[in-house]
Structure formats: structure tokens, C-alpha cells
Amino acid sequence: MQCAALSSKVATTLAQKPVVATRSGRKAVAVRAVAAQVTETKLNTKRSEEIFKEAQELLPGGVNSPVRAFKSVGGQPIVFDHVKGAYCWDADNNKYIDYVGSWGPAIVGHANDEVSDALKAQIDKGTSFGAPCELENVLAKMVIDRVPSVEMVRFVNSGTEACLSVVRLMRAYTGREKIIKFTGCYHGHADQFLVQAGSGVLTLGLSDSPGVPATTAAATLTAQYNNLESVKALFEANKGEIAGLILEPVVGNSGFIPPTKEFLQGLRQLCTQEGAVLCFDEVMTGFRIAKGCAQEHFGVTPDLTTMGKVIGGGLPVGAYGGKKEIMQMVAPAGPMYQAGTLSGNPLAMVAGIKTLEILGRPGAYEHLDTITKRLINGILDAAKETGHAMCGGSISGMFGFFFCEGPVSCFEDAKASDTAKFGRFHRGMLEQGVYLAPSQFEAGFTSLAHTEEDIDATIEAARKVLASL
């Protein structure tokens, strides 16, 4: 990620060039002096605290997914009660502008009326079949039509399931065992991925996870993101042994880190040359940064793709797909076994179909791109005005920023950011009615429901909070 001086000029490159805010001396002092006169809002979180206290006796750490515990930002987790559009309300009825969006799926807005109506109609027909239904065909055709690499697709129930299945498929297809991933990239919690993983592991300060066999970890090789030479070295040292390579085409699990196009093109060439399978993990980027996912945006086509989040419209779902020649290895067409009782669940299919239909309407991605650029540029402007080093960027409806000068082009760069300051910023934004991901190492998301007024309110909130830090 290259950072440059803040400018009002909108970048026209394939990914918006991240920009940097630097210290501005006397102006920063003046702004902070004004901010010091502002009375800090104190949230009433009594009910959230009661619920979370009880949860800690019932659930490990009080949560069902680690990042929700607010360990990296401190303070009390917010317990959600309901959501609608671009907003969420907690158990104490505090309202927030939401930039997490259920970690990406709520791209058309929370509880979208069209999606909800389609789900209600399906509930009357049944919520689970465990048998083929035509809805699977409908969503499959939509995915195949939009995603350049996908000729056949298999639906599963989560991004983790999609990624662990695709690694098994790469090994079955090539007859090799080793895979390459990138430090700081997260592909779910399967054993083979918890080696120098991203987000959740980073958030808790863990390098790896107990319980992963050494033999499993040994088959996973790690390279540095945006560093093609590190990948070449692994292929050279493991000639004829690497089944495939998997990566987030835009990193969202070490914070928002875009690739260079040359990096992605180099990976494509290397995998072709070495007879390895290239897989883009588009669980996060899929249908969010472009109608045809990151591979369409960057013009680089992998052999396999994993998907999730958006294609379930907020319901649990995942998928993997790719070249027919490879996908026909999957049972019952071929010998590689993978199954799931709830795979192709009719509710998830209906929600995904309606969500992709809405995203296919004119102006959808233009809206996401416009508001997200305004958001990140506004936050970085506010950082510059208040004297904080910050860099960041966006692509369509995905964005992120770091409290450091930058540039941030890989996990090692991301680790150098000021996570303590991010924690204070996160809490301050909550106090101002803005809900951001409770970790510096997570990307943010906008939706079709976010308005210009929401963006303006968020930028103003950021200015107040930054001035008080």
C-alpha cells in the first residue's frame, strides 16, 4: 500500500491510491484545544454489560467469535439488539452508523425489505431440505455468469468450509501436499490456515494456535504479501511439491491492504509455470469490490475461487468454484469427498439471489465507490487537521486505515501501526454513534444503505474524536 500526500483529487487507478495524513503543528494544537471544550458523550451500556457478564459464564470468553470480545480495543463489547439499513441498535437502544455490516454480507443494507420479503416467502415453503432444489441452480448461474474463473460451483455453509475444501481439492487435483499462503492473510480456522494467520489471531496476539499438528503446519508455507520474490523462493525450494497458492486478492484480515496488479499477475504466471493451482479467497472481496469480484477488478483470473458473506445475503453460506476440469474432481463427480447437510440451504440461496439481483442494478457499485472514497478521504483529512499520522484507502465498498505514516503493503507494515491509539479512537467513535470493527486488523465496509448524510456525520465524529486523542 503506497501512501501519498493528502489530495482532493480522486485517483483513477484500478485501486484508489491510499493517502497519508501527517502532523500539522500549530493547527493540530488549536483543534485539540477546541476539542477539549467539548463535553464527552457517555454511553449508557448497562444492559450490554449485564448480558456480556452472563455470557462469560456460558460461552468461552463470552462470545462465539473472538474479535467480538473487544480484546484489542478495550472496554465493554456492544451487544446488538436489532439492525436496519446502515444502522444498528444495541441492547440499551443506542444507535450507531454501522461500518461492519455483519463483517461484509450486509452490502445492500441490514434487513433489506426485498431480501426480507423473499426470506419470509421461502420460510412458508420450508427452511431446510437436505435435497436438491432449483434455487441452487439459480444462484449458481448468477455466480458463474459474474465471476471470470468460475465454470462450476459447490455451495457450502461458511467461508472456512469453502477454504478448507478448496485446499483439499488443490491437493487432489495436483497430487501434491504443500500449499502457500501469505503472512497475515486469514482463510478461516482450519488447521492448515492457522500458520501466521490474520485478523482474529492477530487481534489476540497469537502467532499460531495450539491444537494444530506440527505435520499439518509443516505443509503450509508462508510468503510475504506484495513480495513476489518471496513466493519464487518457496517454489524454488520446494520444486514439484506445491499443490497451490491461496491468498486474499485484497487483504482484509490484517487491515485493508490492496495488492499491486504486478504482484497478482506475477502469481498467475508463477502458478502456471510451476503447475500449481492459484486460488483467490474472495470470501470478503467477492461481489463487494466489483460485480465480478476482485479478479474482474484487477483483470487476473485464478483457477479456483472461494466465496461467502455477500452470496448469502446475511445468512450462513460459503462456496468454492473454478475451472470445470478441476471442479469435476469433487464428489460425486470425482473422487475428492466433501459434503454438507445444510449446503445449498434454501433460505441462504434466496437471500443470495435477491442480494446479487440488487447489486446488479445500475449505479450500485458506483454508489459504493463514491461514498467509500468520501468516507476514507474525510477521515484522513480529519487526521491531518488534528496532527495524527494516518494512512488508508478504499476499493468500492471496502476500506481501511492505519495509525502510522505508511506505506502499508504487507502484514509486517501493519504491525507497526499504533494499535493503542486505534483502541482509543474506536471507543471515541462509539461514543459518537459510529460502529467500527473492534480491531485495527480488520477492513471496514459500506453498503447501498449508507447515505451522504451518514458519511458526513461519520467524518465529523472522526474529527471530534481525533482532536481529543
Side-chain angles (χ1 to χ4, degrees):
M1 182 198 286
Q2 292 186 339
C3 296
L6 203 60
S7 169
S8 60
K9 184 179 180 182
V10 177
T12 57
T13 52
L14 73 127
Q16 181 190 357
K17 289 287 186 182
V19 287
V20 65
T22 56
R23 298 191 178 279
S24 52
R26 294 178 182 176
K27 186 175 182 181
V29 174
V31 173
R32 287 181 181 176
V34 172
Q37 301 172 20
V38 179
T39 302
E40 185 182 4
T41 303
K42 289 296 182 183
L43 286 176
N44 169 25
T45 57
K46 182 180 179 181
R47 184 61 184 142
S48 277
E49 292 168 15
E50 292 172 348
I51 295 170
F52 186 64
K53 182 178 180 180
E54 180 184 40
Q56 289 175 299
E57 299 299 320
L58 303 170
L59 312 169
V63 293
N64 282 307
S65 191
V67 74
R68 302 176 191 176
F70 276 43
K71 290 288 187 182
S72 72
V73 293
Q76 169 70 43
I78 300 301
V79 177
F80 278 27
D81 181 75
H82 62 283
V83 293
K84 184 66 178 177
Y87 314 112
C88 54
W89 286 261
D90 66 18
D92 296 279
N93 206 35
N94 298 303
K95 180 183 177 181
Y96 309 88
I97 303 172
D98 181 23
Y99 292 102
V100 177
S102 190
W103 303 96
I107 193 168
V108 299
H110 288 296
N112 175 275
D113 289 343
E114 291 184 67
V115 176
S116 295
D117 288 345
L119 285 169
K120 290 170 187 174
Q122 180 57 43
I123 286 173
D124 290 337
K125 298 174 70 175
T127 61
S128 180
F129 297 152
C133 69
E134 188 176 7
L135 294 169
E136 296 168 280
N137 292 6
V138 175
L139 185 55
K141 285 187 283 188
M142 295 177 83
V143 170
I144 292 167
D145 179 62
R146 297 184 189 202
V147 187
S149 68
V150 177
E151 296 174 354
M152 298 188 82
V153 62
R154 166 63 63 88
F155 292 112
V156 291
N157 299 292
S158 69
T160 288
E161 191 179 341
C163 290
L164 69 87
S165 299
V166 89
V167 168
R168 184 181 303 160
L169 178 55
M170 290 193 291
R171 287 170 170 159
Y173 180 72
T174 62
R176 304 171 180 176
E177 292 190 1
K178 294 181 180 179
I179 63 167
I180 296 175
K181 69 176 291 289
F182 291 87
T183 304
C185 282
Y186 180 73
H187 307 289
H189 59 267
D191 284 358
Q192 60 263 38
F193 297 127
L194 291 180
V195 178
Q196 300 187 48
S199 65
V201 177
L202 276 176
T203 294
L204 297 177
L206 304 174
S207 57
D208 293 296
S209 176
V212 177
T215 51
T216 300
T220 301
L221 310 174
T222 55
Q224 185 182 68
Y225 198 80
N226 273 325
N227 183 344
L228 193 60
E229 292 304 314
S230 71
V231 183
K232 290 180 179 178
L234 289 177
F235 272 113
E236 187 61 34
N238 298 271
K239 274 289 183 185
E241 298 181 73
I242 295 172
L245 180 153
I246 185 170
L247 80 156
E248 295 178 84
V250 177
V251 179
N253 288 285
S254 294
F256 174 84
I257 305 175
T260 65
K261 186 171 182 177
E262 294 72 22
F263 174 64
L264 295 184
Q265 289 174 330
L267 295 179
R268 175 66 281 174
Q269 293 167 2
L270 266 177
C271 286
T272 300
Q273 174 186 312
E274 299 291 339
V277 178
L278 176 63
C279 177
F280 280 6
D281 177 356
E282 300 232 36
V283 168
M284 189 174 287
T285 57
F287 309 102
R288 171 160 286 282
I289 68 170
K291 186 177 179 180
C293 308
Q295 55 200 263
E296 176 192 70
H297 179 82
F298 291 106
V300 178
T301 304
D303 301 304
L304 293 172
T305 301
T306 58
M307 296 159 279
K309 299 187 186 297
V310 167
I311 61 166
L315 275 74
V317 75
Y320 62 101
K323 294 179 178 178
K324 183 174 289 188
E325 176 189 355
I326 302 175
M327 291 300 295
Q328 286 181 326
M329 290 287 295
V330 180
M336 190 219 85
Y337 192 75
Q338 179 268 311
T341 299
L342 295 177
S343 295
N345 175 269
L347 290 180
M349 298 297 99
V350 161
I353 290 165
K354 182 56 68 173
T355 296
L356 291 189
E357 178 189 317
I358 294 170
L359 286 172
R361 296 171 186 170
Y365 287 98
E366 289 79 4
H367 175 77
L368 289 171
D369 189 55
T370 298
I371 62 169
T372 313
K373 283 178 179 175
R374 280 196 63 227
L375 174 67
I376 191 64
N377 284 336
I379 291 174
L380 293 173
D381 272 328
K384 183 177 181 179
E385 292 169 12
T386 53
H388 294 282
M390 183 188 285
C391 67
S394 68
I395 304 176
S396 188
M398 184 176 176
F399 70 92
F401 53 85
F402 296 94
F403 279 99
C404 64
E405 296 284 355
V408 173
S409 60
C410 61
F411 163 71
E412 289 76 12
D413 295 336
K415 286 198 301 182
S417 62
D418 191 337
T419 55
K421 182 180 286 187
F422 177 84
R424 297 194 299 274
F425 179 74
H426 183 271
R427 184 65 199 183
M429 292 297 277
L430 281 178
E431 299 282 352
Q432 294 293 326
V434 178
Y435 189 81
L436 299 170
S439 170
Q440 171 71 92
F441 302 115
E442 292 283 0
F445 307 105
T446 53
S447 75
L448 296 181
H450 284 88
T451 65
E452 298 283 351
E453 291 74 20
D454 293 328
I455 302 303
D456 290 341
T458 303
I459 294 170
E460 182 56 31
R463 183 174 287 108
K464 289 180 180 178
V465 174
L466 287 165
S468 69
L469 294 181

